[in-house]
Amino acid sequence: MSKYEKFSREDLIALAEKQDSELASKKYGLVWDSEREPEQVVFDCEHNLPILKRINKKEIKTDKNEDNILIEGDNYHALTVLNYTHQEKIDVIYIDPPYNTGNKSWKYNNNYVEPEDGYYHSKWLNMMEKRLNIAKKLLKEDGVLICAIDENEFANLYLLLSKVFPNYKLDQVVIVHNPRGVQSKNFSYNHEYALFVYPNDGKEYIGNIERNVHLTEELRDHGGESLRTDAKNCFYPIITDGKEIIEIGDVPIVNFHPKSKNTKLKNGLIAIWPIDITGIERKWVFARDTVSEILGNLKITRRSDGLLDVLRTKTEQKPRTVWVDQKYDASTYGSKVVRQITNMDFPYPKSLLTVQDCLSVVAKKKKSAVVLDFFAGSGTTGHAVLELNKQDVGNRKFILCTNNENNICEQVTYPRLQKVIKGYKKNGDGEKIEGLGGNLQYFRTALIKDTKNKDQMRVDLTEKCTEMLCVKENIFNLEKETDDYKIFSSNKCNKFLCVYYNFYDDSFHGFLKEIKKLNGEKKIYMFSMDGKVRKSLFVGVRDFEIEEIPQKIIDVYKQLVKMNISVKADVIFLEFDKANKKVFTDKDKDKDGGAQSLRIVLEKTIQKIAQKNGVSIFKENSKEERISVLNDMLKSIKVFTHVQWEENKTYLVIGNHASHGDYSEYDLRQVEQFYRHIQELLNVFNI
């Protein structure tokens, strides 16, 4: 018996209309049931404000550089906090999310997700999309995201990343991480993927890697387009004494032609030109203004015919898209490394060298890069950052976020980082490993209840946001503390964080007196109920910036709630019911109040339809997109018909008239039609 036989005529019509709507809006991309079972940690942020609590006893200090950060807690809450502290400040995000293999590898709403769950792909996509949405806001304009994945969710992840990062380039690298392979009934999988996501603006984002075997060849160009006339700036002399390069000569005038490949100068030096053995004028591979960048890789050689030539040694190359090397073995350089350091077994850690190479190709030249991993697991990313710093004396910093399920953070992540920083003896053979150095601050996430008393909520958040401000400024050393203010210094004592928690009070004069003693940059945070602070209060203070708290924190959190929590249908129907009473039920018809309510309903309905069809209701600057623009976008992708689009425009105008008090611009009959139009939209789009 078909399940549809039990449906009423009205139910079948509603189902058919829903399917028509979905088919009309289908486009290339990823569609899944994103609202069937919303994620609780996301809803936590609707009525609670995430904060950080510093665990002072876990602080690690070995030098005067800035501190690395480890955050224990749900990564959604941690990312929410970081959207205040590090928005557009992250150079590289590297993540190794759960692969959704179906072997109880991760939980959704505190329950393991298994293949028997018909929505286990949807739940994984829900979890990933929410985090990628807010992580994207942390990346700098030239920031890069790297995401590890295997065959279970590769296809879905690729489409999801294309959706979240529409103007970015996606490249996938195949990495052989298990040479032995995973046995199965069909193929034996021995590889996984690293997806590199970076701006598609034509600039270079993927750097060079060291060649296994250095390649030496002539600096002179060969083959097609290698003539002097193909690139005039690539024809110039390289001056030598016969052994070393003395200088790079200038590009000659067009009608100057050297008599031979080697010409002797008046000072006894020799000019080498890019002329081939037949006497044809060619060109060097590098132009005159860029050849100095590879000068260290050039050398003079004497050919068999006695002429001097210039050779170039290639030590680097662009990374290939298939990585095969013993160093990527996750067992040898992942599981074994974790066990040697922590004496703990950890499931499926990445090879340290895999992560190191992934980071190196995008951050090798960024020696002060900030690297974020919000699926930190055993802490491999932090370890890799410290190893990179050791190689090139860099000052990169990491921010790691992980939960503490099965005591992962306390028993694996933190001990590993602590030992790698300070040094340790390997479990097993007792080999002593020197510490890589660095500093670490440890935090746990917590929530503040968002009460109906907004003033009290502001006071509560101000009292508990200090650790967030410390993370934002990377300043942690407490110098002065009273009931009303705190002052912190950086590790080099050249920057200061000054926080005043109270209303303007007698204690402010003491705060100001302490600030004036400080010699260095000062970042001042002042409590304010109205979101404003007076810079004039700090007359006589030099080298400072001032910012109010906590309104900016609240604003950031509100944006994220709107971004990741769908417009609620009950909000729509609450206003719709109000409009019904005002327009149809009440004895004294209120066309103006009804039109105002219907305007709210229509705007929320269009936003809801946009979200259901993968259209963001936010601009790039995180502000809500105008409803008229959403209406146009939904028509352009054929979600709205031409008639629906036109009627939306008509009734949005009536709603605007009502909200601005232009009541004579419409009548009750038009408001009644306004109501019926929305009713039709709600039915057609199954809201």
Side-chain angles (χ1 to χ4, degrees), residues 177-228:
H177 72 301
N178 182 4
R180 296 159 295 282
V182 177
Q183 300 307 312
S184 69
K185 292 180 180 179
N186 297 298
F187 286 104
S188 176
Y189 291 102
N190 68 345
H191 74 282
E192 59 185 7
Y193 305 90
L195 283 166
F196 286 74
V197 186
Y198 51 92
N200 192 13
D201 56 10
K203 297 179 182 178
E204 182 184 64
Y205 290 93
I206 307 301
N208 293 332
I209 60 172
E210 187 79 14
R211 286 176 175 268
N212 290 330
V213 178
H214 291 179
L215 177 65
T216 300
E217 60 186 16
E218 287 183 279
L219 181 64
R220 179 176 62 79
D221 209 350
H222 297 75
E225 298 185 353
S226 64
L227 296 175
R228 173 183 181 177

Side-chain angles (χ1 to χ4, degrees), residues 277-295:
I277 57 175
T278 64
I280 296 176
E281 293 179 349
R282 301 284 181 178
K283 66 182 183 70
W284 301 119
V285 174
F286 284 79
R288 171 64 182 81
D289 57 350
T290 59
V291 70
S292 58
E293 297 175 6
I294 60 153
L295 211 53

Side-chain angles (χ1 to χ4, degrees), residues 39-53:
E39 194 176 2
Q40 186 56 49
V41 293
V42 177
F43 279 105
D44 286 344
C45 295
E46 187 175 18
H47 301 295
N48 299 277
L49 306 174
I51 58 167
L52 298 177
K53 289 187 175 181

